Amino acid sequence: MVSHSLAFTVQQFDGALALLTVTGEIDFTTAPDLRDRALELSRQGSRHLILDLAPVDFCDSSGLNALIGILRCAKETGGTLALAAVPDRLSRLLDLTGVSQLMPAHADAAAAMSAHSATHGPAAAGPAVRHLRAVATPQDGADVPEAREAP
């Protein structure tokens, strides 16, 4: 059995902004974890979300569906979703489906942060109180560990 995993690193900034770095493969086994983690951040007050996808190795249509679900929930709470460092294959998928018209994509996380600041005012110079790392390993029989403080 192939083991699929997805890891998240969260940086929360003053105000309602969070940067979620996603590492691994986003497919039918891990896409629900991405959606759940993003929605959890929203429930915790981070209405504006930037997804840094630089370390994403693969994303299929399930991942695309998760992104659309995250965007829909962000808009319902008056928030936004922006993407950073979108891998080429995913960028083409976003363009072909028209989803690229719904959520801005930036060259990297710094560019996404700058664009957010230009639109919504500056975030804190650095991450606020929490810098979290969570690892999800669905479908392999193990429980998914809770988010914990990063060193």
Side-chain angles (χ1 to χ4, degrees), residues 25-43:
E25 297 183 357
I26 308 171
D27 59 21
F28 71 96
T29 61
T30 61
D33 297 316
L34 172 60
R35 188 170 194 271
D36 291 347
R37 185 65 183 118
L39 298 182
E40 179 183 335
L41 288 169
S42 179
R43 284 189 297 273

Side-chain angles (χ1 to χ4, degrees), residues 67-129:
L67 293 175
I68 293 168
I70 293 165
L71 175 64
R72 182 178 304 123
C73 291
K75 288 187 177 225
E76 287 174 0
T77 62
T80 59
L81 172 64
L83 306 178
V86 180
D88 288 339
R89 284 185 71 171
L90 178 55
S91 182
R92 286 193 299 276
L93 182 60
L94 294 170
D95 288 342
L96 285 172
T97 57
V99 175
S100 61
Q101 301 298 313
L102 303 175
M103 59 186 83
H106 305 277
D108 55 30
M113 293 289 295
S114 293
H116 176 82
S117 293
T119 306
H120 302 283
V129 180

Side-chain angles (χ1 to χ4, degrees), residues 42-58:
S42 179
R43 284 189 297 273
Q44 294 172 352
S46 296
R47 293 185 345 234
H48 303 287
L49 183 62
I50 298 170
L51 295 181
D52 183 355
L53 302 175
V56 169
D57 300 321
F58 175 79

Side-chain angles (χ1 to χ4, degrees), residues 8-26:
F8 307 105
T9 302
V10 177
Q11 295 177 353
Q12 292 183 302
F13 296 85
D14 288 342
L17 175 64
L19 173 64
L20 178 62
T21 301
V22 183
T23 304
E25 297 183 357
I26 308 171

Side-chain angles (χ1 to χ4, degrees), residues 135-148:
V135 178
T137 55
Q139 305 298 322
D140 65 0
D143 290 334
V144 176
E146 294 295 319
R148 55 195 175 272

